Amino acid sequence: GIGVIYGAKLLGTPLRSRVPGIEFGTAMLAHCAETGKKVFLFGAKPGVAEQAAKNLCEKLPGLQIAGTHDGYFKEDAPVVEAIRESGADCVFVCLGAPKQELWMARNRQKINAVMIGVGGLLDVFAGDIPRAPESWQRLGLEWLYRLIREPKRFRRMLRLPKYLWAVMLKRIRGT
């Protein structure tokens, strides 16, 4: 995201460009469709992953959806078992940060597939949430567009200044 771009710039190691999760996810799904790799969609509200799977299969002929599971679960074991039984080569974990990263770290030894944390991607693929207009994307303001559309995300956005502060401290200390 744009925070990583700014953080890298502040630390004197600017990145060439950012790669929004939706663009990475779309490219990865297209690659899976071309190479016959099976994808498991995990996360979002009940029904969203299924709708995303339907839309994606219409958009990407040859895409094999190995299975889906919503993000409302109490125990990891049944989800892990569903993923393992599906034979998926790639798992899109869409639980939001940091929950998805923690879930993947906890279960990486139990799942023999590439796991990718892609936040709210399933909501976009399902057609429930629109992507920011291109002008907002070019300006790196997709986060602001999403915040305006979903004010409940405000508390999550409060982490961004903490991140930038940590980057500034790192720069000041030279570590």
Side-chain angles (χ1 to χ4, degrees):
I2 198 69
V4 173
I5 295 296
Y6 288 143
K9 194 176 197 178
L10 287 169
L11 292 173
T13 55
L15 302 173
R16 282 190 220 149
S17 65
R18 66 189 186 93
V19 180
I22 188 153
E23 291 172 20
F24 173 78
T26 301
M28 179 60 95
L29 289 166
H31 174 75
C32 289
E34 291 169 9
T35 59
K37 302 292 183 192
K38 294 187 276 183
V39 179
F40 194 99
L41 304 177
F42 169 40
K45 293 178 184 172
V48 173
E50 290 83 2
Q51 184 60 50
K54 181 179 178 236
N55 294 352
L56 288 166
C57 286
E58 289 172 6
K59 185 178 176 182
L60 297 167
L63 182 63
Q64 296 178 57
I65 301 296
T68 62
H69 197 290
D70 65 62
Y72 291 77
F73 59 96
K74 293 186 181 188
E75 296 179 22
D76 291 354
V79 179
V80 169
E81 190 58 32
I83 293 169
R84 289 177 63 171
E85 286 180 6
S86 76
D89 300 296
C90 181
V91 182
F92 276 41
V93 183
C94 304
L95 302 173
K99 186 176 180 183
Q100 64 197 17
E101 288 78 16
L102 296 170
W103 191 91
M104 290 186 292
R106 240 184 357 259
N107 294 291
R108 71 176 180 251
Q109 301 298 326
K110 302 171 193 167
I111 296 173
N112 189 25
V114 173
M115 293 190 284
I116 304 168
V118 282
L121 201 61
L122 293 180
D123 294 312
V124 176
F125 287 149
D128 292 347
I129 294 176
R131 189 149 182 224
E134 240 179 85
S135 57
W136 291 63
Q137 292 175 38
R138 278 194 307 274
L139 294 170
L141 295 174
E142 287 178 275
W143 64 271
L144 180 59
Y145 179 82
R146 189 111 183 248
L147 180 60
I148 291 167
R149 291 193 52 91
E150 300 173 68
K152 67 181 181 195
R153 297 175 63 88
F154 180 75
R155 286 188 66 172
R156 288 179 54 195
M157 294 295 178
L158 292 175
R159 292 184 192 138
L160 296 175
K162 290 178 186 176
Y163 165 75
L164 290 174
W165 178 249
V167 169
M168 288 303 297
L169 287 176
K170 187 174 179 83
R171 179 179 176 162
I172 291 166
R173 292 179 183 148
T175 58

